[in-house]
Amino acid sequence: TATPQAQIGVTGLAVMGSNIARNFARNGYTVALHNRSVAKTDALLAEHGDEGSFIRSETIEEFVAALERPRRALIMVQAGAATDAVIDSLADAMEPGDVIIDGGNALYTDTIRREKALAERGLHFVGAGISGGEEGALNGPAIMPGGPAESYKSLGPLLESVAAEVDGVPCCTHIGPDGSGHFVKMVHNGIEYADMQLIGEAYDLLRRVLGLPTAEIADVFARWNTGALESYLVEITAEVLAQVDAETGKPLVDVIVDEAGQKGTGRWTVKSALDLGIPTTGIAEAVFARALSSSTEQRKAAAGLSAGTLAAAPTDKDTFIDDIHAALYASKVVAYAQGFDQIAAGSKEYGWDVDPGALATIWRGGCIIRAQFLNRIREAYAEDPQLPSLLLAPYFREAVEAGVDSWRRVVATAAATGIPVPAFGSSLSYYDALRSDRLPAALTQGLRDYFGAHTYRRTDKPGSFHTLWGGDR
Ligand code: ATR
């Protein structure tokens, strides 16, 4: 057998895996290739073998033997049982000090479990969130590696060299121990759901309230992409809306079945938010909105429900477009504030010590939620690492306060014209709740004490109290 010469190996050569393998090779690394079925390995070599230095392998043993020590093997297979199977066979073929990296969308609790088991065998396990889709994997994704800090010393430079870069800073940093990388990637995806839902609501208002033609809406998003909302998702929204269907000549979006799919990371984010007790309402509304869109039978059955008396559309079109822009921006701030709250809570719960400013920094490029906006978040945490909420960072506070009248007009108009805006609406409610001196929670406490003797605290003295409610009657 030849001397091992690959600095990195990739096993699982579907779309993401082959693109990241090519990315490593294009950056000058020798890359060992492996896939359960050899056909994918050979297809990659046939199509792109000339892009760099690859080593073909058929078995896991051959694959592992091709790696320089300490060995570094990146797994890019389906999350769940497939990942466990591949980890098991890799671990059996590896030796203490070697590094296994899971670049898939694993559930962070699985990553915690796997890291613990592998650490007991002397192996380093790195759960790395990778975002950027197909194109990002090839040309530079955002990478969120969690795991032992020691393994990052040798692995970090490799990952940083294939990651995206913004202002010379790589979009990759060590996030923290065990499941932290996959956790922040999960919340990243949740934020992506919220971003897309907010964009969808803005589009719906432009379409159904103002009655703008799709091409004109595409222009609105293209214009928005030159300002504070500049981001990958707003940019591609303009492109998706501008796409004309070759067969029918209609905007392609009008020919697409109106049911949103989901693979699960949004749902995971919301489940985790519930467990941590963090009101991540923007992401939750986005996940529920996708579920509702896919409740086809129910939607069909409910299509005849009366809308009641609807208000007329606003007469000043340009003002309303600006209002929607403000509502989109403010709701986006809320979604990110909530997502960063959840990350802080997860970090505390699991002892990860995640640096929110560093996270905002690596999300500026490569990933799906990349945006100008993240520079502002980075600055906010640089100014005050203990920020109680992103909404309280001076920049965001000013921006949201400047747009709050518009935000209210949009939510009110949506209600009055019968257009659902779950994310705009819940974000505004969240904002109003957060700034409220007294919420109706005192009444909730009264009710809980009434029927369940759950006790309550008083505003004027310490201690727990129980009342014999209505006892005097
Ligand atoms: P993508 O989304 O990038 O297309 P994916 O669906 O997440 O990829 O993962 C598909 C990869 O997981 C494939 O490389 C697949 O191997 P095959 O080409 O042999 O099907 C791999 N995979 C799935 N289950 C696996 C298992 N139990 N053991 C090893 N590899 C597995």
PDB file of all heavy atoms in Angstrom, residues 259-292:
ATOM      1  N   GLU A 259     -47.356  25.055  -1.918  1.00  0.00           N
ATOM      2  CA  GLU A 259     -47.194  24.295  -0.667  1.00  0.00           C
ATOM      3  C   GLU A 259     -45.708  24.232  -0.362  1.00  0.00           C
ATOM      4  O   GLU A 259     -44.932  23.738  -1.168  1.00  0.00           O
ATOM      5  CB  GLU A 259     -47.714  22.862  -0.833  1.00  0.00           C
ATOM      6  CG  GLU A 259     -49.211  22.773  -1.072  1.00  0.00           C
ATOM      7  CD  GLU A 259     -49.639  21.375  -1.522  1.00  0.00           C
ATOM      8  OE1 GLU A 259     -48.938  20.394  -1.189  1.00  0.00           O
ATOM      9  OE2 GLU A 259     -50.656  21.283  -2.232  1.00  0.00           O
ATOM     10  N   ALA A 260     -45.314  24.745   0.812  1.00  0.00           N
ATOM     11  CA  ALA A 260     -43.884  24.801   1.148  1.00  0.00           C
ATOM     12  C   ALA A 260     -43.436  23.518   1.838  1.00  0.00           C
ATOM     13  O   ALA A 260     -44.102  23.042   2.764  1.00  0.00           O
ATOM     14  CB  ALA A 260     -43.599  26.006   2.030  1.00  0.00           C
ATOM     15  N   GLY A 261     -42.324  22.985   1.413  1.00  0.00           N
ATOM     16  CA  GLY A 261     -41.760  21.787   2.033  1.00  0.00           C
ATOM     17  C   GLY A 261     -40.838  22.162   3.181  1.00  0.00           C
ATOM     18  O   GLY A 261     -40.551  23.341   3.407  1.00  0.00           O
ATOM     19  N   GLN A 262     -40.417  21.170   3.920  1.00  0.00           N
ATOM     20  CA  GLN A 262     -39.411  21.400   4.963  1.00  0.00           C
ATOM     21  C   GLN A 262     -38.722  20.091   5.301  1.00  0.00           C
ATOM     22  O   GLN A 262     -39.310  19.033   5.230  1.00  0.00           O
ATOM     23  CB  GLN A 262     -40.015  22.045   6.205  1.00  0.00           C
ATOM     24  CG  GLN A 262     -41.287  21.412   6.733  1.00  0.00           C
ATOM     25  CD  GLN A 262     -41.822  22.179   7.939  1.00  0.00           C
ATOM     26  OE1 GLN A 262     -41.087  22.618   8.800  1.00  0.00           O
ATOM     27  NE2 GLN A 262     -43.140  22.339   7.994  1.00  0.00           N
ATOM     28  N   LYS A 263     -37.447  20.227   5.645  1.00  0.00           N
ATOM     29  CA  LYS A 263     -36.666  19.026   5.935  1.00  0.00           C
ATOM     30  C   LYS A 263     -36.484  18.795   7.430  1.00  0.00           C
ATOM     31  O   LYS A 263     -36.020  17.745   7.832  1.00  0.00           O
ATOM     32  CB  LYS A 263     -35.292  19.123   5.271  1.00  0.00           C
ATOM     33  CG  LYS A 263     -35.295  18.735   3.794  1.00  0.00           C
ATOM     34  CD  LYS A 263     -33.870  18.595   3.323  1.00  0.00           C
ATOM     35  CE  LYS A 263     -33.723  17.887   2.010  1.00  0.00           C
ATOM     36  NZ  LYS A 263     -32.289  17.907   1.601  1.00  0.00           N
ATOM     37  N   GLY A 264     -36.811  19.789   8.245  1.00  0.00           N
ATOM     38  CA  GLY A 264     -36.811  19.515   9.691  1.00  0.00           C
ATOM     39  C   GLY A 264     -35.980  20.435  10.566  1.00  0.00           C
ATOM     40  O   GLY A 264     -36.204  20.479  11.774  1.00  0.00           O
ATOM     41  N   THR A 265     -35.026  21.179  10.001  1.00  0.00           N
ATOM     42  CA  THR A 265     -34.186  21.977  10.898  1.00  0.00           C
ATOM     43  C   THR A 265     -34.965  23.148  11.527  1.00  0.00           C
ATOM     44  O   THR A 265     -34.668  23.540  12.656  1.00  0.00           O
ATOM     45  CB  THR A 265     -32.929  22.528  10.175  1.00  0.00           C
ATOM     46  OG1 THR A 265     -33.320  23.062   8.925  1.00  0.00           O
ATOM     47  CG2 THR A 265     -31.915  21.431   9.966  1.00  0.00           C
ATOM     48  N   GLY A 266     -35.970  23.655  10.809  1.00  0.00           N
ATOM     49  CA  GLY A 266     -36.805  24.712  11.382  1.00  0.00           C
ATOM     50  C   GLY A 266     -37.601  24.165  12.561  1.00  0.00           C
ATOM     51  O   GLY A 266     -37.676  24.778  13.626  1.00  0.00           O
ATOM     52  N   ARG A 267     -38.170  22.982  12.350  1.00  0.00           N
ATOM     53  CA  ARG A 267     -38.950  22.327  13.408  1.00  0.00           C
ATOM     54  C   ARG A 267     -38.063  22.042  14.622  1.00  0.00           C
ATOM     55  O   ARG A 267     -38.460  22.281  15.759  1.00  0.00           O
ATOM     56  CB  ARG A 267     -39.529  21.032  12.839  1.00  0.00           C
ATOM     57  CG  ARG A 267     -40.476  20.312  13.743  1.00  0.00           C
ATOM     58  CD  ARG A 267     -41.380  19.369  12.951  1.00  0.00           C
ATOM     59  NE  ARG A 267     -40.634  18.613  11.952  1.00  0.00           N
ATOM     60  CZ  ARG A 267     -41.062  18.365  10.719  1.00  0.00           C
ATOM     61  NH1 ARG A 267     -42.230  18.795  10.325  1.00  0.00           N
ATOM     62  NH2 ARG A 267     -40.326  17.676   9.872  1.00  0.00           N
ATOM     63  N   TRP A 268     -36.847  21.576  14.381  1.00  0.00           N
ATOM     64  CA  TRP A 268     -35.907  21.339  15.490  1.00  0.00           C
ATOM     65  C   TRP A 268     -35.649  22.623  16.269  1.00  0.00           C
ATOM     66  O   TRP A 268     -35.563  22.618  17.491  1.00  0.00           O
ATOM     67  CB  TRP A 268     -34.558  20.847  14.963  1.00  0.00           C
ATOM     68  CG  TRP A 268     -34.527  19.449  14.432  1.00  0.00           C
ATOM     69  CD1 TRP A 268     -35.508  18.499  14.538  1.00  0.00           C
ATOM     70  CD2 TRP A 268     -33.440  18.840  13.708  1.00  0.00           C
ATOM     71  NE1 TRP A 268     -35.095  17.339  13.911  1.00  0.00           N
ATOM     72  CE2 TRP A 268     -33.840  17.514  13.405  1.00  0.00           C
ATOM     73  CE3 TRP A 268     -32.194  19.284  13.296  1.00  0.00           C
ATOM     74  CZ2 TRP A 268     -33.012  16.637  12.705  1.00  0.00           C
ATOM     75  CZ3 TRP A 268     -31.368  18.404  12.599  1.00  0.00           C
ATOM     76  CH2 TRP A 268     -31.774  17.098  12.304  1.00  0.00           C
ATOM     77  N   THR A 269     -35.468  23.714  15.535  1.00  0.00           N
ATOM     78  CA  THR A 269     -35.181  24.992  16.200  1.00  0.00           C
ATOM     79  C   THR A 269     -36.314  25.355  17.147  1.00  0.00           C
ATOM     80  O   THR A 269     -36.090  25.777  18.283  1.00  0.00           O
ATOM     81  CB  THR A 269     -34.992  26.120  15.168  1.00  0.00           C
ATOM     82  OG1 THR A 269     -34.083  25.694  14.167  1.00  0.00           O
ATOM     83  CG2 THR A 269     -34.477  27.395  15.819  1.00  0.00           C
ATOM     84  N   VAL A 270     -37.542  25.174  16.674  1.00  0.00           N
ATOM     85  CA  VAL A 270     -38.695  25.554  17.482  1.00  0.00           C
ATOM     86  C   VAL A 270     -38.851  24.618  18.677  1.00  0.00           C
ATOM     87  O   VAL A 270     -39.139  25.056  19.796  1.00  0.00           O
ATOM     88  CB  VAL A 270     -39.973  25.595  16.619  1.00  0.00           C
ATOM     89  CG1 VAL A 270     -41.189  25.953  17.468  1.00  0.00           C
ATOM     90  CG2 VAL A 270     -39.811  26.609  15.489  1.00  0.00           C
ATOM     91  N   LYS A 271     -38.633  23.329  18.468  1.00  0.00           N
ATOM     92  CA  LYS A 271     -38.698  22.387  19.600  1.00  0.00           C
ATOM     93  C   LYS A 271     -37.678  22.781  20.662  1.00  0.00           C
ATOM     94  O   LYS A 271     -37.967  22.770  21.851  1.00  0.00           O
ATOM     95  CB  LYS A 271     -38.382  20.964  19.126  1.00  0.00           C
ATOM     96  CG  LYS A 271     -39.521  20.286  18.395  1.00  0.00           C
ATOM     97  CD  LYS A 271     -39.098  18.853  18.096  1.00  0.00           C
ATOM     98  CE  LYS A 271     -40.172  18.068  17.389  1.00  0.00           C
ATOM     99  NZ  LYS A 271     -39.701  16.730  17.008  1.00  0.00           N
ATOM    100  N   SER A 272     -36.479  23.113  20.209  1.00  0.00           N
ATOM    101  CA  SER A 272     -35.429  23.512  21.150  1.00  0.00           C
ATOM    102  C   SER A 272     -35.814  24.809  21.850  1.00  0.00           C
ATOM    103  O   SER A 272     -35.581  24.970  23.055  1.00  0.00           O
ATOM    104  CB  SER A 272     -34.097  23.660  20.403  1.00  0.00           C
ATOM    105  OG  SER A 272     -33.301  24.674  20.961  1.00  0.00           O
ATOM    106  N   ALA A 273     -36.413  25.739  21.108  1.00  0.00           N
ATOM    107  CA  ALA A 273     -36.837  27.011  21.703  1.00  0.00           C
ATOM    108  C   ALA A 273     -37.856  26.745  22.808  1.00  0.00           C
ATOM    109  O   ALA A 273     -37.799  27.347  23.891  1.00  0.00           O
ATOM    110  CB  ALA A 273     -37.427  27.933  20.645  1.00  0.00           C
ATOM    111  N   LEU A 274     -38.774  25.819  22.557  1.00  0.00           N
ATOM    112  CA  LEU A 274     -39.782  25.475  23.571  1.00  0.00           C
ATOM    113  C   LEU A 274     -39.104  24.877  24.799  1.00  0.00           C
ATOM    114  O   LEU A 274     -39.418  25.233  25.930  1.00  0.00           O
ATOM    115  CB  LEU A 274     -40.803  24.484  22.994  1.00  0.00           C
ATOM    116  CG  LEU A 274     -41.747  25.056  21.921  1.00  0.00           C
ATOM    117  CD1 LEU A 274     -42.557  23.936  21.283  1.00  0.00           C
ATOM    118  CD2 LEU A 274     -42.676  26.102  22.514  1.00  0.00           C
ATOM    119  N   ASP A 275     -38.161  23.976  24.575  1.00  0.00           N
ATOM    120  CA  ASP A 275     -37.457  23.353  25.699  1.00  0.00           C
ATOM    121  C   ASP A 275     -36.662  24.377  26.503  1.00  0.00           C
ATOM    122  O   ASP A 275     -36.581  24.282  27.723  1.00  0.00           O
ATOM    123  CB  ASP A 275     -36.507  22.257  25.200  1.00  0.00           C
ATOM    124  CG  ASP A 275     -37.263  21.027  24.741  1.00  0.00           C
ATOM    125  OD1 ASP A 275     -38.434  20.869  25.147  1.00  0.00           O
ATOM    126  OD2 ASP A 275     -36.702  20.233  23.965  1.00  0.00           O
ATOM    127  N   LEU A 276     -36.054  25.331  25.808  1.00  0.00           N
ATOM    128  CA  LEU A 276     -35.233  26.327  26.495  1.00  0.00           C
ATOM    129  C   LEU A 276     -36.080  27.458  27.075  1.00  0.00           C
ATOM    130  O   LEU A 276     -35.581  28.289  27.830  1.00  0.00           O
ATOM    131  CB  LEU A 276     -34.193  26.912  25.527  1.00  0.00           C
ATOM    132  CG  LEU A 276     -33.085  25.963  25.059  1.00  0.00           C
ATOM    133  CD1 LEU A 276     -32.342  26.559  23.858  1.00  0.00           C
ATOM    134  CD2 LEU A 276     -32.107  25.669  26.193  1.00  0.00           C
ATOM    135  N   GLY A 277     -37.366  27.494  26.685  1.00  0.00           N
ATOM    136  CA  GLY A 277     -38.246  28.554  27.172  1.00  0.00           C
ATOM    137  C   GLY A 277     -37.953  29.904  26.548  1.00  0.00           C
ATOM    138  O   GLY A 277     -38.149  30.950  27.168  1.00  0.00           O
ATOM    139  N   ILE A 278     -37.484  29.901  25.310  1.00  0.00           N
ATOM    140  CA  ILE A 278     -37.180  31.157  24.615  1.00  0.00           C
ATOM    141  C   ILE A 278     -38.249  31.418  23.551  1.00  0.00           C
ATOM    142  O   ILE A 278     -38.510  30.555  22.705  1.00  0.00           O
ATOM    143  CB  ILE A 278     -35.794  31.072  23.943  1.00  0.00           C
ATOM    144  CG1 ILE A 278     -34.704  30.802  24.973  1.00  0.00           C
ATOM    145  CG2 ILE A 278     -35.486  32.359  23.156  1.00  0.00           C
ATOM    146  CD1 ILE A 278     -34.524  31.889  26.014  1.00  0.00           C
ATOM    147  N   PRO A 279     -38.898  32.592  23.597  1.00  0.00           N
ATOM    148  CA  PRO A 279     -39.951  32.868  22.613  1.00  0.00           C
ATOM    149  C   PRO A 279     -39.390  33.186  21.227  1.00  0.00           C
ATOM    150  O   PRO A 279     -39.270  34.346  20.852  1.00  0.00           O
ATOM    151  CB  PRO A 279     -40.694  34.069  23.213  1.00  0.00           C
ATOM    152  CG  PRO A 279     -39.692  34.732  24.099  1.00  0.00           C
ATOM    153  CD  PRO A 279     -38.743  33.669  24.577  1.00  0.00           C
ATOM    154  N   THR A 280     -39.063  32.143  20.495  1.00  0.00           N
ATOM    155  CA  THR A 280     -38.562  32.328  19.131  1.00  0.00           C
ATOM    156  C   THR A 280     -39.761  32.340  18.184  1.00  0.00           C
ATOM    157  O   THR A 280     -39.931  31.454  17.352  1.00  0.00           O
ATOM    158  CB  THR A 280     -37.560  31.201  18.803  1.00  0.00           C
ATOM    159  OG1 THR A 280     -36.653  31.038  19.906  1.00  0.00           O
ATOM    160  CG2 THR A 280     -36.726  31.537  17.586  1.00  0.00           C
ATOM    161  N   THR A 281     -40.591  33.375  18.322  1.00  0.00           N
ATOM    162  CA  THR A 281     -41.892  33.376  17.646  1.00  0.00           C
ATOM    163  C   THR A 281     -41.785  33.522  16.128  1.00  0.00           C
ATOM    164  O   THR A 281     -42.585  32.955  15.395  1.00  0.00           O
ATOM    165  CB  THR A 281     -42.778  34.510  18.193  1.00  0.00           C
ATOM    166  OG1 THR A 281     -42.085  35.757  18.003  1.00  0.00           O
ATOM    167  CG2 THR A 281     -43.077  34.330  19.670  1.00  0.00           C
ATOM    168  N   GLY A 282     -40.811  34.295  15.665  1.00  0.00           N
ATOM    169  CA  GLY A 282     -40.674  34.506  14.219  1.00  0.00           C
ATOM    170  C   GLY A 282     -40.411  33.201  13.498  1.00  0.00           C
ATOM    171  O   GLY A 282     -41.028  32.894  12.475  1.00  0.00           O
ATOM    172  N   ILE A 283     -39.503  32.412  14.060  1.00  0.00           N
ATOM    173  CA  ILE A 283     -39.171  31.125  13.443  1.00  0.00           C
ATOM    174  C   ILE A 283     -40.355  30.166  13.571  1.00  0.00           C
ATOM    175  O   ILE A 283     -40.708  29.468  12.622  1.00  0.00           O
ATOM    176  CB  ILE A 283     -37.893  30.532  14.076  1.00  0.00           C
ATOM    177  CG1 ILE A 283     -36.708  31.488  13.851  1.00  0.00           C
ATOM    178  CG2 ILE A 283     -37.596  29.146  13.504  1.00  0.00           C
ATOM    179  CD1 ILE A 283     -35.422  31.098  14.579  1.00  0.00           C
ATOM    180  N   ALA A 284     -40.999  30.177  14.741  1.00  0.00           N
ATOM    181  CA  ALA A 284     -42.146  29.287  14.938  1.00  0.00           C
ATOM    182  C   ALA A 284     -43.251  29.598  13.929  1.00  0.00           C
ATOM    183  O   ALA A 284     -43.814  28.692  13.308  1.00  0.00           O
ATOM    184  CB  ALA A 284     -42.670  29.417  16.369  1.00  0.00           C
ATOM    185  N   GLU A 285     -43.549  30.881  13.750  1.00  0.00           N
ATOM    186  CA  GLU A 285     -44.596  31.247  12.788  1.00  0.00           C
ATOM    187  C   GLU A 285     -44.209  30.802  11.373  1.00  0.00           C
ATOM    188  O   GLU A 285     -45.060  30.397  10.584  1.00  0.00           O
ATOM    189  CB  GLU A 285     -44.850  32.761  12.810  1.00  0.00           C
ATOM    190  CG  GLU A 285     -45.532  33.265  14.080  1.00  0.00           C
ATOM    191  CD  GLU A 285     -46.963  32.743  14.271  1.00  0.00           C
ATOM    192  OE1 GLU A 285     -47.491  32.060  13.375  1.00  0.00           O
ATOM    193  OE2 GLU A 285     -47.532  33.013  15.348  1.00  0.00           O
ATOM    194  N   ALA A 286     -42.926  30.884  11.063  1.00  0.00           N
ATOM    195  CA  ALA A 286     -42.473  30.481   9.725  1.00  0.00           C
ATOM    196  C   ALA A 286     -42.652  28.979   9.520  1.00  0.00           C
ATOM    197  O   ALA A 286     -43.086  28.525   8.460  1.00  0.00           O
ATOM    198  CB  ALA A 286     -41.009  30.888   9.536  1.00  0.00           C
ATOM    199  N   VAL A 287     -42.337  28.201  10.562  1.00  0.00           N
ATOM    200  CA  VAL A 287     -42.498  26.749  10.456  1.00  0.00           C
ATOM    201  C   VAL A 287     -43.984  26.403  10.340  1.00  0.00           C
ATOM    202  O   VAL A 287     -44.392  25.603   9.489  1.00  0.00           O
ATOM    203  CB  VAL A 287     -41.863  26.041  11.676  1.00  0.00           C
ATOM    204  CG1 VAL A 287     -42.150  24.539  11.651  1.00  0.00           C
ATOM    205  CG2 VAL A 287     -40.352  26.277  11.699  1.00  0.00           C
ATOM    206  N   PHE A 288     -44.817  27.053  11.171  1.00  0.00           N
ATOM    207  CA  PHE A 288     -46.261  26.785  11.115  1.00  0.00           C
ATOM    208  C   PHE A 288     -46.854  27.236   9.774  1.00  0.00           C
ATOM    209  O   PHE A 288     -47.760  26.604   9.246  1.00  0.00           O
ATOM    210  CB  PHE A 288     -46.974  27.490  12.279  1.00  0.00           C
ATOM    211  CG  PHE A 288     -46.719  26.856  13.619  1.00  0.00           C
ATOM    212  CD1 PHE A 288     -46.495  27.629  14.746  1.00  0.00           C
ATOM    213  CD2 PHE A 288     -46.713  25.464  13.768  1.00  0.00           C
ATOM    214  CE1 PHE A 288     -46.266  27.045  16.000  1.00  0.00           C
ATOM    215  CE2 PHE A 288     -46.486  24.870  15.008  1.00  0.00           C
ATOM    216  CZ  PHE A 288     -46.263  25.663  16.126  1.00  0.00           C
ATOM    217  N   ALA A 289     -46.341  28.336   9.226  1.00  0.00           N
ATOM    218  CA  ALA A 289     -46.866  28.823   7.951  1.00  0.00           C
ATOM    219  C   ALA A 289     -46.609  27.791   6.844  1.00  0.00           C
ATOM    220  O   ALA A 289     -47.454  27.571   5.972  1.00  0.00           O
ATOM    221  CB  ALA A 289     -46.238  30.169   7.584  1.00  0.00           C
ATOM    222  N   ARG A 290     -45.437  27.155   6.893  1.00  0.00           N
ATOM    223  CA  ARG A 290     -45.164  26.106   5.900  1.00  0.00           C
ATOM    224  C   ARG A 290     -46.110  24.935   6.092  1.00  0.00           C
ATOM    225  O   ARG A 290     -46.628  24.367   5.129  1.00  0.00           O
ATOM    226  CB  ARG A 290     -43.718  25.620   6.021  1.00  0.00           C
ATOM    227  CG  ARG A 290     -42.706  26.631   5.538  1.00  0.00           C
ATOM    228  CD  ARG A 290     -41.361  25.957   5.265  1.00  0.00           C
ATOM    229  NE  ARG A 290     -40.304  26.951   5.137  1.00  0.00           N
ATOM    230  CZ  ARG A 290     -39.058  26.663   4.808  1.00  0.00           C
ATOM    231  NH1 ARG A 290     -38.706  25.397   4.574  1.00  0.00           N
ATOM    232  NH2 ARG A 290     -38.143  27.610   4.707  1.00  0.00           N
ATOM    233  N   ALA A 291     -46.346  24.578   7.361  1.00  0.00           N
ATOM    234  CA  ALA A 291     -47.248  23.455   7.639  1.00  0.00           C
ATOM    235  C   ALA A 291     -48.650  23.772   7.144  1.00  0.00           C
ATOM    236  O   ALA A 291     -49.291  22.950   6.486  1.00  0.00           O
ATOM    237  CB  ALA A 291     -47.259  23.167   9.142  1.00  0.00           C
ATOM    238  N   LEU A 292     -49.110  24.999   7.423  1.00  0.00           N
ATOM    239  CA  LEU A 292     -50.453  25.389   6.981  1.00  0.00           C
ATOM    240  C   LEU A 292     -50.561  25.349   5.454  1.00  0.00           C
ATOM    241  O   LEU A 292     -51.528  24.856   4.902  1.00  0.00           O
ATOM    242  CB  LEU A 292     -50.802  26.780   7.518  1.00  0.00           C
ATOM    243  CG  LEU A 292     -52.262  27.216   7.418  1.00  0.00           C
ATOM    244  CD1 LEU A 292     -52.580  28.254   8.496  1.00  0.00           C
ATOM    245  CD2 LEU A 292     -52.623  27.797   6.046  1.00  0.00           C
TER     246      LEU A 292
END
